[in-house]
Amino acid sequence: MDTEARQTERDRSSASHDGTEEGSRFACSLRSLRSPRSSRRLPGVSGLSGLSWGRVGLLGLACGVFALLLSNFVVQPFLIPSGSMEPTLQVGDRVLVNKVAYRFGTAPERGDVVVFDGTGSFVQEPTGENPVTGLLHGAAAALGLAEPAETDFVKRVVGVGGDRVVCCDKGGRVEVNGRAVDERYLYAGDAPSSVPFDIVVPRGTLWVMGDHRSNSRDSRDHLGDPGGGMVPVDKVIGRADWIGWPLGRWAALEPTEAFQGVRGPGDAEPTGAGADYGDAAAPGDEAAPGGKETPGGMETETPVPGGVHG
């Protein structure tokens, strides 16, 4: 009986030992089979990763090109660095400028907030610049990665070609073609202008002013300069239609109703003795049509580094 029990135990032990050896051999064979597969997969995974990074790079390049084209031809962001357009635009706002607003026969209208290149009107012609540097900076600025040129400005259109713009009437308001303008967008406490003027806007140009009149150097400050403070229409980059940043300021810039009652220059009734403003004054005239001299002691524009200027 004991012999049989010991024999049974030996048989079980042997079976267990044989099973373990068999299991070990089976496990080793599985590992040996897996190892080559793993080694074969690694290069494939690496290649796939490289391919993915390549696709990411191409996608990034495509997005950059698309953004550049969009910024150059459709919508471009501009930073507001000064308070010359307060309260409409605040320091630090990034406006989105509609560059197709005036591209299909439509001209800037009274009340529009526009961004323009002030070269030759608000600032002197720049000195020679490295063309490659200028090109790279222009591309970066178009993508919003760098500040716009120091010759870019943002102002509100108050007079268009042929308009007679006078300040001020008996109520202290600006008159356009004999009609007083109720400029509710002005900075609180500001007068429409502390400097009197009486001008006729030459055809193809604009008379522009900031909404914060006491803190804005605009067309009034350049009456005695070449161009007479007028901005050529072809220097307008676009119309500021939206505030895109910061998010708390996100809004569309609604058109103002201030100029709705203003008639065209041919329909306006002359105001004052001997007034005749059917023909526009030549740019740079020292005396504005209507008889008033260019205001003295006015400072010339000093561009603010970066952004569009006030």
Side-chain angles (χ1 to χ4, degrees):
M1 196 62 164
D2 293 338
T3 304
E4 290 179 359
R6 286 195 296 272
Q7 182 65 34
T8 302
E9 290 175 358
R10 281 196 301 271
D11 292 342
R12 289 177 180 173
S13 175
S14 176
S16 175
H17 178 72
D18 292 342
T20 301
E21 289 181 351
E22 186 67 25
S24 299
R25 286 197 297 271
F26 180 70
C28 289
S29 65
L30 285 179
R31 285 195 293 270
S32 65
L33 288 173
R34 286 175 182 169
S35 297
R37 288 184 184 177
S38 300
S39 62
R40 285 197 300 272
R41 284 180 181 176
L42 287 175
V45 171
S46 177
L48 180 61
S49 176
L51 182 60
S52 298
W53 281 113
R55 288 180 178 176
V56 169
L58 289 175
L59 181 61
L61 179 61
C63 289
V65 171
F66 174 77
L68 184 61
L69 292 174
L70 183 72
S71 187
N72 273 330
F73 299 105
V74 184
V75 176
Q76 183 174 353
F78 283 88
L79 176 67
I80 304 299
S82 75
S84 72
M85 281 297 294
E86 291 175 337
T88 306
L89 301 175
Q90 305 287 340
V91 176
D93 283 352
R94 191 169 290 271
V95 296
L96 301 179
V97 175
N98 182 356
K99 302 183 77 169
V100 298
Y102 309 124
R103 197 162 283 175
F104 301 102
T106 305
E109 298 179 354
R110 305 178 195 95
D112 287 356
V113 177
V114 297
V115 171
F116 59 93
D117 178 5
T119 303
S121 58
F122 278 34
V123 294
Q124 296 179 352
E125 294 285 346
T127 56
E129 181 185 22
N130 186 318
V132 176
T133 303
L135 181 62
L136 292 176
H137 182 271
L143 292 173
L145 302 177
E147 301 299 344
E150 294 184 0
T151 57
D152 293 341
F153 298 83
V154 58
K155 300 293 178 190
R156 188 181 296 274
V157 178
V158 176
V160 298
D163 283 349
R164 182 184 183 185
V165 186
V166 179
C167 191
C168 297
D169 70 355
K170 293 180 180 179
R173 296 171 297 180
V174 169
E175 280 188 352
V176 180
N177 298 335
R179 179 83 177 210
V181 180
D182 186 10
E183 298 182 281
R184 298 184 181 180
Y185 46 73
L186 292 184
Y187 188 80
D190 267 9
S193 179
S194 59
V195 176
F197 58 86
D198 185 349
I199 57 93
V200 172
V201 183
R203 301 288 180 179
T205 66
L206 305 171
W207 175 268
V208 297
M209 302 171 75
D211 288 356
H212 193 170
R213 296 288 161 81
S214 63
N215 190 34
S216 174
R217 291 180 175 178
D218 44 47
S219 290
R220 298 169 296 169
D221 296 87
H222 301 282
L223 280 168
D225 296 344
M230 312 299 172
V231 176
V233 172
D234 58 11
K235 288 285 190 177
V236 174
I237 296 170
R239 185 178 63 212
D241 280 350
W242 308 276
I243 299 174
W245 186 264
L247 294 178
R249 291 266 302 150
W250 192 94
L253 295 180
E254 299 294 337
T256 178
E257 298 179 354
F259 297 87
Q260 282 189 352
V262 176
R263 293 167 292 185
D267 301 327
E269 297 178 0
T271 57
D276 181 8
Y277 46 93
D279 297 324
D285 286 351
E286 290 299 320
K292 288 187 178 149
E293 295 182 357
T294 302
M298 303 181 71
E299 298 180 4
T300 58
E301 184 75 35
T302 302
V304 181
V308 289
H309 309 288

